[in-house]
Amino acid sequence: MTAWALAARGGDAEAVERLVRALHRDVRHYVTFLGADPQSADDLAQDTFLRALGSLHRFEGRSSARTWLLSIARRTVVDSIRHGSSRPRLSDAEDWEAAAERAQPRDLPGFEEGVALLDLLDTLPADRREAFVLTQMLGLPYAEAAAVSDCPIGTVRSRVARARTSLARWLAEAEGTSGAA
């Protein structure tokens, strides 16, 4: 992927297409798990690639293209959250929460487990959630996750360990509660 990014920097259109295809899924998952609204995840992924392609001339290959792109994705999400928090949210529906709940799919296999996992991930502190998603869900090596998060590798390892401990405890508590009911 890094070779494609370097070739794309040199003007190779086919390398640009290969790079985008290879990393689009990871970028979309990452922006979603960083707290982006799932409906806006595609827009944020697209914005990430637009920013990356606009700054390809500065990519030197000192890190992998994946790490570089996920760093851009992280800044894109942060910028989006900042922009969104400065604007009021409007809704035409009187009970917008009930309307949103009714619009969610319910009969998909694994849907409830996926919702439960997302809920548990949302309860983690942002730094632990980011480290966990990067390493355990996107499969980045700890060194790359550290580069994306802009922190030492030991900090990433610590955050992942704490996230695992919290998630395991919460899952055990949830199973104990549902088993007793």
Side-chain angles (χ1 to χ4, degrees), residues 18-114:
R18 286 182 178 164
L19 179 68
V20 171
R21 283 187 181 170
L23 292 172
H24 185 269
R25 182 173 178 241
D26 287 347
V27 169
R28 188 178 187 294
H29 284 300
Y30 186 55
V31 299
T32 301
F33 285 112
L34 281 179
D37 177 9
Q39 286 77 20
S40 66
D42 285 327
D43 292 337
L44 288 170
Q46 182 178 3
D47 190 30
T48 297
F49 281 103
L50 289 173
R51 288 181 183 196
L53 294 175
S55 62
L56 254 178
H57 63 281
R58 291 192 307 258
F59 179 68
E60 297 176 1
R62 285 184 276 155
S63 64
S64 73
R66 186 180 195 197
T67 300
W68 174 72
L69 197 57
L70 291 177
S71 296
I72 294 171
R74 182 174 187 247
R75 289 189 300 275
T76 301
V77 171
V78 168
D79 290 347
S80 172
I81 291 169
R82 283 184 188 142
H83 178 75
S85 67
S86 67
R87 304 219 177 263
R89 293 185 176 221
L90 304 174
S91 174
D92 293 342
E94 287 182 36
D95 187 5
W96 63 270
E97 289 178 288
E101 285 293 320
R102 286 191 301 274
Q104 297 298 317
R106 297 284 180 214
D107 299 335
L108 300 175
F111 177 79
E112 296 297 327
E113 292 82 4

Side-chain angles (χ1 to χ4, degrees), residues 122-137:
D122 281 343
T123 60
L124 288 172
D127 56 348
R128 291 181 190 172
R129 179 176 59 237
E130 178 184 29
F132 185 84
V133 168
L134 285 171
T135 59
Q136 307 305 301
M137 300 180 86

Side-chain angles (χ1 to χ4, degrees), residues 170-181:
W170 295 334
L171 285 171
E173 290 171 3
E175 288 174 358
T177 304
S178 65

Side-chain angles (χ1 to χ4, degrees), residues 137-175:
M137 300 180 86
L138 292 179
L140 255 64
Y142 284 95
E144 285 189 35
V148 169
S149 301
D150 195 28
C151 67
I153 192 170
T155 301
V156 172
R157 286 189 173 117
S158 173
R159 289 174 180 173
V160 170
R162 289 183 179 137
R164 282 183 182 157
T165 301
S166 296
L167 290 171
R169 181 173 27 97
W170 295 334
L171 285 171
E173 290 171 3
E175 288 174 358

